Amino acid sequence: MNHHTSYDRAHDDAQRLARRHERDLHWAKERRRQQEREIVAASALLASSRWSLARRTVLVSVALLAAIAAATGFAASAHLPAGWLLLADAVAVALAVTVVIGATVSLVGVRSRRAAARELVASHEARLSHTQYHIHESVHTFIDAHVEVVNTRPARVA
């Protein structure tokens, strides 16, 4: 017995649409998971103290400034000529200013990350409800598209 199926463009279109709606549904679910991960990370950031976030910056900056001061003291005690001593002091000042600017930028970054985390946590419910709306809509359109795939299946011809 030879079974041939007839080609049905409507069925192909319905399958293509069903695959698109399935991808949309998977995207919406993955977006929700991503938002939940972001909320957990933001909550952890807000739960940690300011000192624990700034500690590394402060310790590295203090260590670098101490090293610069030690190098300046070493240069002063090395009995360098006045021109070289002036150059060593200028380099030390430039390095110290660079360290202070870097520390300031880092601390401002910590502050802005905490502010962004506060904003994210505050908008948590609205963001999740919006994503849940997309999931809900995607589920219904996927089901409708799947029903259309079944309804447009080509008949088997014997």
Side-chain angles (χ1 to χ4, degrees):
M1 187 186 296
N2 190 4
H3 293 282
H4 296 284
T5 57
S6 61
Y7 176 74
D8 187 356
R9 182 171 178 79
H11 182 67
D12 281 353
D13 290 344
Q15 283 182 318
R16 204 172 7 265
L17 187 63
R19 284 191 297 270
R20 193 188 96 211
H21 288 306
E22 184 179 13
R23 281 192 307 272
D24 289 347
L25 178 60
H26 286 300
W27 176 87
K29 286 180 175 180
E30 183 53 38
R31 182 66 189 126
R32 179 169 179 119
R33 286 185 206 104
Q34 176 65 29
Q35 286 176 342
E36 289 170 349
R37 287 190 296 267
E38 289 170 357
I39 291 296
V40 167
S43 298
L45 181 67
L46 292 174
S48 59
S49 70
R50 289 188 176 118
W51 169 244
S52 68
L53 296 174
R55 182 180 318 139
R56 178 181 299 162
T57 299
V58 171
L59 293 177
V60 168
S61 298
V62 167
L64 288 173
L65 290 173
I68 292 169
T72 303
F74 176 74
S77 67
H79 304 295
L80 294 173
W84 286 104
L85 192 55
L86 183 62
L87 179 64
D89 286 343
V91 168
V93 167
L95 288 174
V97 167
T98 302
V99 168
V100 169
I101 289 172
T104 303
V105 167
S106 178
L107 293 174
V108 167
V110 167
R111 183 177 178 197
S112 66
R113 282 195 309 272
R114 284 181 61 91
R118 266 191 301 279
E119 184 178 315
L120 183 69
V121 168
S123 67
H124 170 66
E125 288 303 319
R127 292 164 60 87
L128 286 184
S129 69
H130 182 71
T131 304
Q132 189 60 40
Y133 168 78
H134 281 292
I135 290 172
H136 182 74
E137 289 298 310
S138 294
V139 165
H140 288 291
T141 56
F142 174 69
I143 291 170
D144 293 343
H146 185 68
V147 167
E148 188 66 24
V149 167
V150 171
N151 289 340
T152 59
R153 251 186 217 143
R156 288 199 166 272
V157 178

